[in-house]
Amino acid sequence: MLSQLHDPHLRAFASDNYAGVHPELLAAIAVANGGHQTAYGEDVYTGRLQDVVRAHFGPTAEAHPVLTGTGANIVALQAMTPRWGAVLCAATSHLHTDEGVAPEAAARTKLIVVDSRDGKLTPEHIAAHASALGDEHRAQPSVVSITQATEPGTVYTPQETAAVSAAAHANGMTVHLDGARLANAAAALDVPLRALTTDAGVDVVTLGGTKNGMLFGEAVVVLDPAAVDGLAFVRKTSAQLASKMRFVSAQFIELLGSDLWLRNARHANAMAGLLAERVRRLPGVEIVRPVQANAVFAVLPREVTTRLQKRFNFYTRDERTGEVRWMCSFDTTPDDVETFVRAIAEELGVQGSDHEGGQQ
Ligand SMILES: Cc1ncc(COP(=O)(O)O)c(C=O)c1O
């Protein structure tokens, strides 16, 4: 009935959600298929997922599977924030730049946006906004939301995260972590997931599945139950209560119950490292941010970008500076990277020997 409409070998560097589904996760869906299971999360897979999540995040963790990352963020923030509360986040955060008016319209909160070149919040940012606390005329900063790995591709160390959490808690705020790429950060730092979350004082995590190889599905992982109120009702009201939740949970069990999450994240990070190493040899391209997880940010001539974007999908991040983002996935191969680097060299008019020599 359905003949393949696209070239299955096609690779993009636009986002890690351009990739397909990891075969082990497709197999997990097939295993969970067949027979009937109680809908809306009362299934055996969602039950088992709690054990798997606790093994990573500690005994207080509760996983609430949802369908999308935006959905996970708005469910988490809505359950964490009082009606008079606001959420402190970086200007680069997905929450601020790429979730439309979902934080305002769906989570019914106000974002207080902080400029941060590397995408990270610090205790100083929190201190600067704490003066609003107690002033009835001002939105009350109630939640600090950080992203791990950040949108500009950096990672918070466990110590940096703990410092943010300590400053937030000292001011009566709670900490939300958007972990769409938490696995990439943990792989980059070679630490367990809990070192960046539970042990660093984070209260609620949006745990990414899609960018780590799943078909779809994320989870709100509550680490401190006192930090949320009415989450089950909020999830339903936000249209994120999936009736066939077993298929999200089964994928997470496979991903987190084995080392697949780490393999996928390590691989994506390694491909970004390879891409950066190869591109650094090209005259005319500058890598403008540290490459710490699975993204490479570069500036190259605009006309080169225009020609290149006709051949490969990737995003221009900043039209003014010409900065682009190249993102690698669990299924990016070294050959994909070499093909892409060759294309960049061609569009730059760089001769073969200028970028091929001196390979280690
Ligand atoms: C950091 C971050 N958070 C959240 C999301 C939201 O995910 P979704 O597109 O599933 O709503 C994304 C997706 O790109 C993201 O990069």
Side-chain angles (χ1 to χ4, degrees):
M1 282 245 293
L2 179 72
S3 60
Q4 191 137 34
L5 295 174
H6 79 289
D7 169 4
H9 304 293
L10 190 77
R11 288 296 186 274
F13 289 85
S15 183
D16 30 11
N17 56 18
Y18 275 51
V21 186
H22 192 283
E24 290 169 41
L25 297 173
L26 265 186
I29 293 172
V31 169
N33 199 20
H36 287 197
Q37 278 288 300
T38 313
Y40 299 110
E42 297 297 321
D43 61 274
V44 293
Y45 296 93
T46 305
R48 170 87 180 95
L49 176 61
Q50 305 307 319
D51 301 331
V52 172
V53 161
R54 284 186 194 123
H56 281 284
F57 294 94
T60 61
E62 295 162 13
H64 303 266
V66 294
L67 295 171
T68 69
T70 302
N73 283 344
I74 61 162
V75 167
L77 293 178
Q78 217 176 320
M80 294 174 78
T81 319
R83 277 179 61 205
W84 49 90
V87 175
L88 201 63
C89 61
T92 52
S93 66
H94 194 272
L95 208 53
H96 177 54
T97 62
D98 279 304
E99 299 189 1
V101 291
E104 295 84 2
R108 288 176 297 141
T109 192
K110 178 185 176 83
L111 299 181
I112 300 176
V113 170
V114 169
D115 277 330
S116 162
R117 157 105 190 136
D118 64 2
K120 296 193 213 175
L121 295 186
T122 63
E124 290 69 35
H125 291 132
I126 296 167
H129 287 275
S131 61
L133 290 168
D135 181 345
E136 66 185 325
H137 300 282
R138 301 182 56 189
Q140 297 296 289
S142 309
V143 177
V144 175
S145 180
I146 59 176
T147 311
Q148 179 74 301
T150 69
E151 291 77 0
T154 55
V155 296
Y156 287 86
T157 62
Q159 295 75 14
E160 287 170 331
T161 312
V164 166
S165 298
H169 292 157
N171 285 291
M173 306 173 198
T174 53
V175 181
H176 165 253
L177 183 144
D178 179 345
R181 299 188 180 88
L182 179 60
N184 299 89
L189 293 161
D190 202 18
V191 296
L193 296 175
R194 67 174 289 158
L196 298 173
T197 53
T198 324
D199 296 349
V202 171
D203 298 300
V204 179
V205 175
T206 288
L207 180 63
T210 315
K211 294 179 168 71
N212 201 203
M214 280 172 44
L215 171 59
F216 63 83
E218 319 281 305
V220 178
V221 178
V222 176
L223 303 176
D224 179 2
V228 293
D229 190 22
L231 196 141
F233 300 107
V234 164
R235 180 173 59 175
K236 177 68 182 179
T237 310
S238 304
Q240 287 291 320
L241 180 63
S243 58
K244 291 193 180 177
M245 198 185 294
R246 70 165 130 159
F247 297 105
V248 178
S249 300
Q251 291 178 82
F252 266 128
I253 293 170
E254 189 63 32
L255 190 67
L256 299 172
S258 69
D259 67 349
L260 183 59
W261 67 275
L262 188 56
R263 273 189 279 139
N264 282 353
R266 274 192 183 142
H267 180 80
N269 292 358
M271 290 303 100
L274 177 64
L275 176 58
E277 181 204 317
R278 302 287 286 113
V279 161
R280 276 202 181 94
R281 299 185 188 150
L282 294 175
V285 189
E286 190 193 352
I287 293 179
V288 289
R289 294 174 190 276
V291 180
Q292 296 184 335
N294 59 328
V296 177
F297 293 86
V299 170
L300 63 171
R302 247 168 269 259
E303 61 282 6
V304 172
T305 297
T306 306
R307 289 198 299 272
L308 210 48
Q309 282 173 333
K310 294 199 173 102
R311 300 171 64 181
F312 291 86
N313 268 309
F314 62 88
Y315 292 112
T316 298
R317 185 170 187 273
D318 187 335
E319 293 289 350
R320 276 177 313 111
T321 59
E323 181 178 343
V324 300
R325 183 186 81 169
W326 296 321
M327 188 70 91
C328 295
S329 320
F330 75 85
D331 67 346
T332 305
T333 66
D335 272 355
D336 298 332
V337 171
E338 295 306 329
T339 305
F340 187 46
V341 171
R342 253 197 315 277
I344 301 171
E346 278 163 25
E347 297 301 351
L348 283 164
V350 173
Q351 300 305 311
S353 58
D354 291 350
H355 65 97
E356 281 167 5
Q359 293 190 25
Q360 305 105 17

